[in-house]
Structure formats: structure tokens, C-alpha cells
Amino acid sequence: MNLRRTLATLAATTVVAPAVLLTATPATAAAATAAAPAAVTAPSAADPFASCTSWTQADRITTELLGFPTRLVAGTWSTFTFRTVNVSASPLKAVGANVDVSAWGAGVPSARLGLTVQWYDRAAKKWRPMPTRVSDFATVSGALKPGARSDVRMRVMADRRSKAGDGFAFEFARYAGPDGVCGHAGTIHEYDFVVEPAASAPKPTAR
């Protein structure tokens, strides 16, 4: 499918070297990360990435999607978790995330299906849209201490009018350090799924 969205749009069009493209399933992704302390700070209203003075290729975070669905029923939300872990020895000021999803009609590569991804802003207690360009990020987490993790609720839905199809998703992330040094996650995982049409409404029975 378009060379897997042109290798995840050249690793989210980052300003550092392209990330390693890996394949993962929700089951293996869930088992890949051991328990770690949860994040304790919500994202700041101000853009924490505005203070970035330089970008590094150092892998200071890991990311994965826990419970990403392998099956989407058109018109129905499916939830999952975007997990980020600070694997460095230094604290981080913020984490930005994006999840890029694409799907096409079964056997019809030109028939692209409509998909929506949202993330839950705990501070505002509301769902927010995920950026539609992979070069953009939503700031989903505030400060992360070394070894700490951030789990953010997200959800995805195929347009109710969607027919059967196949799709895939990639997760992208970036981080901001308090020293002004920022960077991107060093890996991108792929998650495959199928789209199923919404069930037809039952016809009224004659009385």
C-alpha cells in the first residue's frame, strides 16, 4: 500500500535520521514493555517545543500502541493506549505524539477509507483530534522522570459508510528536554487491521 505510506512518510519527516521501521502486533507490543512508574505531570498549555534550541538523534524514549485493534467496525470507536517510556538518564519536559492510520477498500487500492483518530486530554477532560499530518504532533504528556512512562488513551473509528478494507497504523513521537535539546523516538511500529462494514439496521417486522 504505497510502500507502507512511503516508509511511514520517511519516519514522520523528522529533522534527524529516519527512524528504524519495525513491525509489531498489539499482542507483542503489549508484552514488550515491563511495568514502569506512571507519568505524574499533565502537558502544559504553552508549546514546550517552542524552546527547542537543537535536535539530537539520541533515543531517549520508546513508544508503542497497546491494544490497537486488529478489527474496526465502521462507525464504532475502538480504544487503545499510546505508551511512552523515558529510557534515558535525564528528565524530559514533554512528549508529542501522532498516530497515522490509513485504510483502503478490499481489492481496490484507490478506494481510501475515512478514518478518525482522537486522544483524551485528561486535564481538559475531553477528546481532541489527532493531527492529520504526520509532521505535526499533539503534546500528550508533560514532564517524565528517567524510567517513567506516560499512558494516553486514544481511539480510532472508520467512517460509518466504509466498506470492507485493510489498513495499517504507525505511531510517531518526539520529546523536549528541559535543556532545550529535543529529539524523536528512534523506532516506528506498524499495526495492521481490517475494516468491516457497519451492520445493517434490522428491518421492521410486519404485524
Side-chain angles (χ1 to χ4, degrees):
M1 295 180 182
N2 293 345
L3 191 57
R4 284 304 193 216
R5 195 68 177 274
T6 312
L7 290 181
T9 312
L10 290 181
T13 62
T14 60
V15 295
V16 296
V20 177
L21 185 61
L22 300 180
T23 300
T25 63
T28 57
T33 304
V40 296
T41 307
S44 170
D47 181 8
F49 292 90
S51 60
C52 293
T53 56
S54 63
W55 291 80
T56 177
Q57 296 184 35
D59 295 340
R60 299 176 68 180
I61 60 173
T62 62
T63 61
E64 61 180 323
L65 303 182
L66 301 180
F68 192 89
T70 56
R71 169 178 166 269
L72 297 182
V73 176
T76 301
W77 288 109
S78 295
T79 59
F80 60 98
T81 299
F82 192 112
R83 172 169 290 179
T84 307
V85 179
N86 180 359
V87 295
S88 74
S90 303
L92 301 177
K93 185 166 63 173
V95 173
N98 198 344
V99 177
D100 182 42
V101 293
S102 301
W104 288 262
V108 189
S110 60
R112 191 161 180 176
L113 306 181
L115 298 164
T116 301
V117 182
Q118 298 179 342
W119 66 281
Y120 189 70
D121 185 339
R122 287 183 295 179
K125 296 182 179 180
K126 63 186 295 185
W127 289 96
R128 297 190 183 276
M130 187 60 66
T132 55
R133 299 191 309 172
V134 296
S135 57
D136 295 335
F137 296 81
T139 301
V140 298
S141 173
L144 277 180
K145 296 179 180 179
R149 78 178 183 220
S150 167
D151 285 347
V152 180
R153 290 173 57 200
M154 296 189 180
R155 62 185 185 180
V156 58
M157 180 175 64
D159 186 276
R160 183 170 179 80
R161 297 167 295 179
S162 297
K163 297 181 180 181
D166 301 290
F168 52 84
F170 300 104
E171 97 275 18
F172 306 117
R174 64 179 181 177
Y175 59 84
D179 53 359
V181 178
C182 303
H184 293 80
T187 56
I188 298 174
H189 300 90
E190 178 185 332
Y191 304 81
D192 297 329
F193 60 89
V194 298
V195 177
E196 297 181 0
S200 302
K203 296 181 179 180
T205 58
R207 295 186 178 182

